Amino acid sequence: MTIIIGLVAVSGCADSTDEAAAEELVDKVPVYIVGTEPYFPPFEYADENNSNEIIGFDVDLINAIAEDQGFEIEWKDLEFDALIPALQSGQIDMIVSGMTITEEREESVDFSEPYINAGLSLAVAVDNEEIKSLDDVQGKVAVVQQGSTGALKADELKAEGIIEEVIYLAHVSDIVMNIQSGRADFMINDLPVTKSYMVQNPGVIKIVDDDIQSDSYGFAVKNGNTELLDMLNAGLANVQADGTYDEIMGKYF
Ligand code: GLN
C-alpha cells in the first residue's frame, strides 16, 4: 500500500507544514496490488480490442468493490499456481482470479465471503462417444490447469488408479488443444469457463458432466489481513445489495 510508504517518509517531522503534508498523504487513496491469471474468460481475460486491458466478471466486481470502499487497484499478471506464493511473500495484496475456496487453501490464505458458485465439469472432444460421464474415464488421460481444483480432482482419480495420466498446463486454451489433438481424452475445469469457451469456439468440445463438484469462488488475502478482508466483504455486500452485482452478472452470463 502506497499510503504506508508515505507515512513512514514523514514520521518524526514536527513542524506544521510537514504535519499538513502528512495529513494529505493519509487522505490519499490506497492502492492494492491484485494478482490474477488473466486467461480465464469470462472471469478475467484480455480485451480483444486492447490486449493490455483485463476485463471480465471478476474485474468488474472488484472494481465496483474498490469504488465502494475507496481504494484503487493495480493488476499483476501471474500464473495461477504462482498466486498464493506471491500473496504470502507480499508481492501482491490480494488474489482475484476465479479462485475456488478450499479447505487446503484456507490454511495458507484468508478468503472473503463466496462471491459466485462455480463447480467442476468434465468435457471431451465433441466427437467423443466413449466418455459419457466420470464413470467412463478408466485408463484415460486427463488434461487440467496446473494448481487448480480440476487438477486436484484429476490427481485423486490417478491416485485411485482409475486414470492413466494427468497433463498439467497453464491456460485453458492449451488444455483444449490437447483434447483437440487427441493427446488427452478429457478435461476437468470450472463449469462457467468451459461453457464460455464452448460459446466462443463452438464444435470443439462438449460437456458430459456439469456437476462433478460444486464450489464457490472467493477473493484471497494474506493470512490475518483483516483490514483488507473486511473491506472486501463490506464492499461485496454493498454491491450485492444495490443491484451492481446483478448488473455485472447479466453482462457476463
Ligand atoms: N477455480 C479453479 C481453482 O481455483 C481454477 C481457477 C483458475 O484457473 N483461475 O483452482
Side-chain angles (χ1 to χ4, degrees):
M1 263 176 69
T2 44
I3 180 172
I4 301 290
I5 300 162
L7 285 174
V8 171
V10 296
S11 66
C13 299
D15 77 53
S16 60
T17 330
D18 285 337
E19 265 170 29
E23 266 173 35
E24 205 176 285
L25 280 168
V26 172
D27 286 343
K28 270 208 173 142
V29 178
V31 179
Y32 291 108
I33 302 172
V34 179
T36 196
E37 184 256 334
Y39 304 91
F40 205 60
F43 293 99
E44 40 272 320
Y45 56 105
D47 184 348
E48 57 182 34
N49 301 316
N50 173 9
S51 57
N52 290 325
E53 187 87 22
I54 305 172
I55 57 171
F57 177 87
D58 283 353
V59 178
D60 283 9
L61 184 58
I62 198 68
N63 281 338
I65 292 171
E67 199 186 324
D68 181 79
Q69 294 293 305
F71 63 82
E72 277 175 12
I73 283 168
E74 207 174 281
W75 291 94
K76 191 162 178 66
D77 176 349
L78 291 163
E79 297 296 9
F80 188 75
D81 60 355
L83 290 168
I84 290 183
L87 189 61
Q88 288 175 314
S89 70
Q91 215 192 327
I92 57 175
D93 296 304
M94 68 178 112
I95 299 170
V96 178
S97 198
M99 184 171 273
T100 303
I101 302 170
T102 69
E103 266 178 41
E104 197 197 350
R105 288 175 182 157
E106 301 241 37
E107 283 171 21
S108 28
V109 302
D110 286 345
F111 280 105
S112 68
E113 292 298 322
Y115 64 83
I116 193 167
N117 294 328
L120 290 177
S121 64
L122 176 70
V124 297
V126 77
D127 56 359
N128 183 323
E129 295 304 330
E130 213 185 333
I131 301 175
K132 295 192 162 62
S133 77
L134 203 54
D135 297 335
D136 305 323
V137 297
Q138 290 87 351
K140 302 294 183 198
V141 176
V143 61
V144 292
Q145 186 172 31
Q146 64 201 22
S148 70
T149 45
L152 283 178
K153 185 71 200 174
D155 288 344
E156 267 172 44
L157 295 169
K158 175 94 183 351
E160 287 163 15
I162 297 172
I163 62 172
E164 176 71 24
E165 190 191 340
V166 185
I167 302 170
Y168 307 92
L169 296 170
H171 308 304
V172 176
S173 50
D174 303 331
I175 290 172
V176 178
M177 268 168 58
N178 274 254
I179 297 285
Q180 247 179 320
S181 70
R183 170 73 182 89
D185 301 296
F186 69 99
M187 57 187 271
I188 302 179
N189 193 47
D190 297 20
L191 177 65
V193 175
T194 301
K195 269 190 180 163
S196 157
Y197 183 91
M198 288 167 58
V199 171
Q200 297 301 319
N201 309 272
V204 181
I205 51 169
K206 63 181 176 187
I207 293 170
V208 291
D209 189 330
D210 64 2
D211 193 20
I212 290 188
Q213 191 171 293
S214 51
D215 289 314
S216 304
Y217 292 170
F219 308 119
V221 301
K222 196 172 184 172
N223 263 340
N225 189 353
T226 47
E227 189 193 343
L228 182 52
L229 197 62
D230 289 349
M231 280 201 251
L232 293 175
N233 284 331
L236 178 62
N238 289 342
V239 302
Q240 279 173 332
D242 73 8
T244 310
Y245 180 94
D246 290 339
E247 254 172 54
I248 300 171
M249 199 70 174
K251 184 169 160 192
Y252 290 100
F253 295 99

